[in-house]
Amino acid sequence: MKKLWFLMMLILTVGVMAACGGDGGDSGGGEEAEADIEENEYPSTVTIGTASQGGTYYIWGGGFATMLEEHLDITSNVEVTGGPVHNIQLLDADDVQLGMVTEGPLYEGYTGEGEWAEKEYQDIRVIFPMYDTPFNWFSLESTGVTSIEEHEGERVGVGPAGGTPGTYNPIIYETLGIETGEQVAAGASDMVSQMLDGQLEHIGFSAGLPISAVVEAETQADINIYGIEGENREAVMEELSYFKEFTIPEGTYDSQEGPIETIAQFNFGVVQKEANSDFVYDLVKMYHENIDQMINTHSSAEEAEDPEAILNNTDYPMHPGAIRYYEEIGVELPDEVYPDEWEESSE
């Protein structure tokens, strides 16, 4: 009798524990973690994180604002920011809802390996391809400088803090063992103004081609434009794997004497994973079906004319709304870009 009573109590205890465990769930993830994602409502207005005035991001932001208003009846605020690093931080804080990033900051933010990264920004999601951002440097012709090695000990403009050039120009100098003088962190237009005022002789910048700040400089002064090649380029790409070889085509700038060999990073449009899936789908569809408008805004958009440009992303998770569009038009995405929440969204 005692054995029977003990057995009944044991069964009852196990049942209660199982019920309690089911309520608590497994905080480790899987389907339970996916259920915690609550999508935002479809927006009536968005803030677009760009970069400094005089850079390509800012021009793209204006183009996007026009398209959103015209095609989706969504108003937009184009935010001047420090660039990709800043955009990742602003997205995380929900201060912007659409951002633009280069692959270097995307890698450093997602993995948490960037010196600027206070954590791993793993809620960021890629939604559309943009263009390559080549790095180039330019100096007043009167200096005779035609290579970054000659920046040794010189005062140089490196771009805005938090932007692609402002983040990576100092790292490039360090990688190559070039000890410059003061490094001025400022936006493209500000640096050009300093150059024209005689306060700055050398500037390093990166953006989609043509960079309006370079055009501004060469229309008002004689400048030398140059990139990075040979052993220096190999050294940078070995140290910083998100860089690739790039050639600035002849004729991009009036001051060029021929093609310019250099390095580049690719750019993507990004949102947070909580972004409304229907909104992201509509935005990406709008973007590709009206890419001619972006090309008219800035010629760098020609690099995204073929939607398969999204395959430049092989490592970072995409938003389900964007995935839905690319699958609909027959783009075969790599497995690595499907996020944990994809299974739930497709059910």
Side-chain angles (χ1 to χ4, degrees):
M1 190 67 166
K2 288 182 179 180
K3 290 183 178 180
L4 179 60
W5 177 85
F6 177 78
L7 181 60
M8 292 176 63
M9 290 299 294
L10 180 62
I11 292 172
L12 179 62
T13 301
V14 171
V16 171
M17 290 177 65
C20 292
D23 289 338
D26 179 6
S27 60
E31 294 182 1
E32 194 70 31
E34 293 165 9
D36 291 340
I37 299 174
E38 295 185 9
E39 282 194 358
N40 297 329
E41 294 183 358
Y42 199 106
S44 59
T45 183
V46 298
T47 299
I48 304 171
T50 61
S52 63
Q53 294 182 1
T56 305
Y57 275 12
Y58 188 74
I59 299 172
W60 268 65
F64 246 105
T66 299
M67 291 173 69
L68 287 168
E69 176 73 29
E70 180 179 339
H71 299 286
L72 301 183
D73 197 26
I74 294 174
T75 59
S76 304
N77 300 311
V78 179
E79 187 81 9
V80 174
T81 74
V85 168
H86 196 198
N87 289 340
I88 291 171
Q89 296 166 330
L90 292 172
L91 277 166
D92 186 68
D94 197 33
D95 289 332
V96 302
Q97 290 74 51
L98 171 62
M100 307 177 196
V101 299
T102 36
E103 188 171 355
L106 180 58
Y107 167 81
E108 292 184 340
Y110 189 77
T111 62
E113 293 185 10
E115 291 184 5
W116 56 271
E118 299 176 352
K119 63 177 184 178
E120 295 179 353
Y121 292 88
Q122 295 200 345
D123 288 348
I124 196 167
R125 297 291 182 264
V126 170
I127 62 171
F128 59 79
M130 294 175 63
Y131 55 85
D132 278 305
T133 285
F135 278 60
N136 60 224
W137 293 262
F138 53 102
S139 303
L140 291 172
E141 189 178 70
S142 58
T143 66
V145 170
T146 58
S147 69
I148 64 172
E149 291 95 331
E150 296 172 90
H151 293 182
E152 185 82 29
E154 297 282 299
R155 186 172 186 264
V156 296
V158 295
T164 301
T167 299
Y168 295 100
N169 273 328
I171 297 175
I172 290 170
Y173 287 129
E174 182 179 356
T175 299
L176 299 178
I178 299 170
E179 296 185 7
T180 70
E182 180 186 359
Q183 295 184 359
V184 178
S189 294
D190 288 342
M191 291 192 299
V192 170
S193 294
Q194 291 185 50
M195 172 175 278
L196 297 175
D197 289 341
Q199 303 173 42
L200 201 56
E201 294 181 328
H202 318 293
I203 294 175
F205 204 71
S206 57
L209 298 175
I211 302 172
S212 60
V214 179
V215 175
E216 179 186 358
E218 69 175 353
T219 57
Q220 302 180 67
D222 294 326
I223 61 174
N224 295 329
I225 307 175
Y226 44 95
I228 180 175
E229 56 185 315
E231 293 181 358
N232 282 344
R233 179 160 67 178
E234 293 300 322
V236 171
M237 291 193 301
E238 183 176 351
E239 181 70 20
L240 308 169
S241 60
Y242 34 77
F243 275 109
K244 64 179 183 179
E245 294 184 2
F246 190 89
T247 302
I248 298 175
E250 183 175 4
T252 301
Y253 302 109
D254 292 339
S255 302
Q256 279 181 253
E257 295 183 356
I260 298 174
E261 295 299 318
T262 190
I263 51 178
Q265 296 180 22
F266 202 78
N267 294 262
F268 300 99
V270 291
V271 296
Q272 289 293 90
K273 69 179 182 182
E274 294 85 3
N276 183 278
S277 290
D278 290 335
F279 163 66
V280 172
Y281 172 86
D282 290 344
L283 185 154
V284 176
K285 180 181 175 70
M286 172 205 76
Y287 171 67
H288 283 297
E289 291 186 352
N290 298 279
I291 194 66
D292 58 312
Q293 286 186 241
M294 286 305 303
I295 293 171
N296 289 334
T297 298
H298 197 280
S299 60
S300 60
E302 291 176 357
E303 295 186 51
E305 193 165 13
D306 183 349
E308 291 208 351
I310 191 61
L311 298 178
N312 279 283
N313 172 39
T314 58
D315 298 305
Y316 308 104
M318 291 178 58
H319 193 282
I323 291 174
R324 179 155 57 100
Y325 173 76
Y326 289 112
E327 286 192 341
E328 277 186 7
I329 63 172
V331 176
E332 295 186 10
L333 301 169
D335 293 342
E336 290 79 6
V337 307
Y338 286 80
D340 292 339
E341 65 267 22
W342 168 251
E343 182 176 348
E344 179 190 347
S345 70
S346 59
E347 290 176 353

